[in-house]
Amino acid sequence: MLVYTVFGEAGGPGKTTLTASLAAAHARRGRDVLAIDLDPQDASLSYLLDVDDDRADSDTDHLVRHLIDQPKGPFRELIRETDHGIDVVPAHNALANLDDLLDRRAAMADDMGESFDPTTRLRQVLLEANISDYYDVIICDPAATEGQGVYNAFAATGQLVIPAEATAKGRQSIDGLEQLAAGLEDELGIELGVLAVVPNKVDLRSGTQRRYAEEIEAVEYAVPERIPIRGALFDGAWEHQCSPFRFVEEHRKQQQDREVETLETIKRLAAALEREVDLE
């Protein structure tokens, strides 16, 4: 199966939009897709795919309860089906306190002489629920800042897809992420690979952006596709709380060739990621 985390250290690279776009592209290629939202922000993947109605309900079961080993029911009951062909484990406001909650749970386990690793809880929860029996593709979308949400996503997937803006900041963010990944591999004992770096929101009319895109493409990682800047397309998806594919099909009065070409680029990117793991 194909399992990865979409992550970029720099703000604004289109991380969540790329996650939703790739999830929809995998689904349109006939894959069973699960997206796991680990971002406590209101403007998260759960909002974009319109499954965030319970995020403020303190009585509902949610992902954080499972990560601290206090679930109210089976993990699979957390999964929400969407009409985009994507299943989602929605975010909950409790994710904002995830670091503290996991630290307290680890301290309790230590007092009881039990084993509890805060950084590998998501991996353990997925294994215990046999999630790999049901899905071809699993994508994690954590916050863009370091913390247990990021660590758990990295440990559960072991592979990264890195969106990077074609700017000096975007290029530098790749170097920063390399250092973060190396440090986490040593500190947490996890192995991380990079499936792809994706130059995102590239303005091909700008010589400066083309130059930075070329610099990004010169890194040692695979760079299968560039995604051009398409503000109206992706902003429209957020406005209508849907994937970019659904936005073009149902909310555009007249399809625009450039947007259709961009969606084809995202499909090719999804196919390239699937080939990386020989997904049949």
Side-chain angles (χ1 to χ4, degrees):
M1 64 186 305
L2 173 61
V3 185
Y4 61 90
T5 296
V6 179
F7 184 78
E9 277 199 307
K15 172 181 66 69
T16 295
T17 307
L18 181 61
T19 301
S21 301
L22 283 171
H26 288 304
R28 285 164 181 259
R29 289 177 50 78
R31 309 304 185 187
D32 293 320
V33 181
L34 177 66
I36 302 175
D37 189 352
L38 288 157
D39 192 341
Q41 293 188 94
D42 288 337
S44 66
L45 182 69
S46 302
Y47 173 83
L48 178 55
L49 297 179
D50 199 18
V51 290
D52 69 336
D53 44 297
D54 289 334
R55 70 175 301 132
D57 185 352
S58 59
D59 294 325
T60 191
D61 197 14
H62 52 75
L63 178 59
V64 174
R65 286 186 174 275
H66 288 255
L67 296 181
I68 64 173
D69 202 20
Q70 297 291 322
K72 286 192 169 185
F75 177 80
R76 281 186 52 78
E77 291 185 1
L78 298 182
I79 298 172
R80 298 278 298 274
E81 294 182 0
T82 74
D83 58 4
H84 306 280
I86 308 164
D87 287 358
V88 181
V89 177
H92 190 273
N93 287 349
L95 283 165
N97 300 316
L98 181 61
D99 288 45
D100 180 57
L101 291 168
L102 283 172
D103 286 346
R104 287 160 55 188
R105 180 64 182 85
M108 182 185 299
D110 187 57
D111 290 342
M112 301 294 290
E114 301 171 349
S115 175
F116 185 90
D117 183 352
T119 64
T120 61
R121 284 299 302 154
L122 178 60
R123 176 180 176 82
Q124 189 63 34
V125 167
L126 296 177
L127 287 172
E128 290 174 356
N130 297 315
I131 291 300
S132 61
D133 292 345
Y134 302 96
Y135 295 98
D136 306 306
V137 179
I138 298 175
I139 310 174
C140 287
D141 182 26
T145 54
E146 270 193 76
Q148 286 293 354
V150 171
Y151 305 154
N152 270 270
F154 285 6
T157 64
Q159 298 281 0
L160 305 180
V161 170
I162 304 171
E165 287 188 293
T167 62
K169 183 179 180 181
R171 178 64 187 89
Q172 187 177 9
S173 73
I174 298 175
D175 296 332
L177 186 53
E178 287 178 331
Q179 297 173 12
L180 171 63
L184 290 177
E185 285 182 327
D186 293 338
E187 181 181 351
L188 306 178
I190 59 178
E191 294 184 6
L192 286 171
V194 176
L195 284 175
V197 173
V198 184
N200 197 21
K201 299 193 288 187
V202 181
D203 186 350
L204 298 177
R205 299 167 299 179
S206 166
T208 300
Q209 288 217 356
R210 286 200 305 272
R211 175 168 61 85
Y212 278 120
E214 289 166 1
E215 288 187 16
I216 290 171
E217 289 167 353
V219 299
E220 61 181 290
Y221 308 117
V223 185
E225 300 287 344
R226 291 181 187 179
I227 299 179
I229 188 168
R230 292 287 181 262
L233 170 63
F234 296 124
D235 288 347
W238 279 93
E239 179 183 356
H240 293 278
Q241 291 183 272
C242 64
S243 75
F245 294 91
R246 178 66 56 81
F247 171 69
V248 167
E249 291 167 351
E250 296 187 2
H251 299 287
R252 273 290 192 219
K253 293 181 179 179
Q254 183 175 357
Q255 291 189 358
Q256 301 183 15
D257 290 344
R258 292 186 306 169
E259 292 182 347
V260 173
E261 290 170 4
T262 298
L263 297 180
E264 290 301 319
T265 299
I266 295 169
K267 287 181 184 178
R268 290 195 302 270
L269 176 57
L273 297 177
E274 292 176 13
R275 287 195 298 271
E276 285 292 318
V277 297
D278 296 324
L279 187 63
E280 296 294 338

